[in-house]
Amino acid sequence: MANARALPEHILVVDDDPRIRQMLSRYFEEEGYRVSLAGDGDEMRACLDKQPIDIILLDLVLPGEDGLTLARGIRARSDVPLIMLTGRNDVVDRVVGLEVGADDYIAKPFHLREVLARIRGVLRRRQLQLSQSDRDAPSAEVYYFEGLRLDIDRRQLVSDDGREVPLTTGEFDMLYVLVKHAGRVLQRELLMDLTRGRNLEAFDRTIDAQIARLRRKIERDPSRPALIKSVRGVGYVFSARATRQHA
């Protein structure tokens, strides 16, 4: 039987500048990828409804609905990998992109080889996530805390009532690191190293954004967090008791 994954991976480029769309399209196709193009939110949604997409490259500044609005809509319907394109090399743009669930960010102007490297990195992590979810591991690593179950092999966070809490790749990795080291204060720089796994500048506000998103999803009162606590001037600590089991 033919390999179900015979087709090359499919990239959706969402940018209102036709020159950038065509430049990226030519480059990605030369590298063996399939490419679809969209200039705004309507065209993006049409592409997503029509065919499977493996990764989205989404510009932050778009006419009509901006990239942040579109990113929130994407995350509401899918966990497809998402890389944001920002118009300035600005920490704020990067943080905001991560806040809405992006897996990575690239500042304009960019080098094509850097864009390709970032895409390949996100796709590799996504493939690892899928292979772990599909694997029927006899001794899966699972953590239980505060009515939640964190299944590492399946990369799922599930509540006692069976409801799955949707997490992006970055959010899951962050929660796993915190839970695995429950009771230990982790510096922001260490959290960046443990969760990103590549050479990026360790911006404190990037980590803060990830933590804020996690708190909104797992804390009863995100404004008064009881699970992920801040340690002023240092970093964060997972303060709840996490019981580790092998299923």
Side-chain angles (χ1 to χ4, degrees), residues 113-231:
R113 290 180 64 182
E114 178 192 4
V115 177
L116 183 61
R118 296 293 187 94
I119 285 175
R120 285 174 171 168
V122 171
L123 287 173
R124 279 195 301 269
R125 292 196 298 276
R126 176 60 171 170
Q127 190 59 43
L128 177 61
Q129 174 185 346
L130 293 175
S131 64
Q132 288 175 331
S133 297
D134 292 339
R135 187 173 67 239
D136 185 17
S139 59
E141 186 178 1
V142 180
Y143 291 87
Y144 293 88
F145 58 91
E146 297 296 316
L148 294 168
R149 174 170 56 86
L150 185 68
D151 189 318
I152 305 307
D153 281 357
R154 291 184 172 83
R155 294 185 69 86
Q156 291 179 329
L157 180 64
V158 182
S159 63
D160 282 345
D161 60 5
R163 178 180 59 87
E164 183 173 355
V165 181
L167 297 176
T168 67
T169 299
E171 290 167 354
F172 185 93
D173 291 343
M174 180 70 70
L175 182 58
Y176 175 41
V177 168
L178 289 166
V179 171
K180 184 176 181 179
H181 299 92
R184 175 184 170 188
V185 178
L186 301 178
Q187 296 179 335
R188 289 177 174 84
E189 291 80 4
L190 179 59
L191 284 170
M192 178 66 80
D193 291 341
L194 291 174
T195 58
R196 306 298 280 177
R198 58 189 186 279
N199 292 324
L200 289 179
E201 295 174 83
F203 294 111
D204 286 355
R205 293 183 62 185
T206 299
I207 294 297
D208 295 342
Q210 292 271 20
I211 296 295
R213 287 165 46 201
L214 264 178
R215 283 172 169 167
R216 288 197 291 269
K217 294 185 176 183
I218 69 173
E219 298 277 6
R220 287 189 172 88
D221 182 0
S223 65
R224 301 179 64 183
L227 300 180
I228 305 175
K229 293 188 176 181
S230 303
V231 180

Side-chain angles (χ1 to χ4, degrees), residues 10 12 34-37 45-54:
H10 194 168
L12 172 58
R34 290 180 294 154
V35 184
S36 290
L37 304 174
R45 283 185 287 268
C47 287
L48 291 173
D49 289 340
K50 183 169 56 177
Q51 55 200 322
I53 297 295
D54 294 298

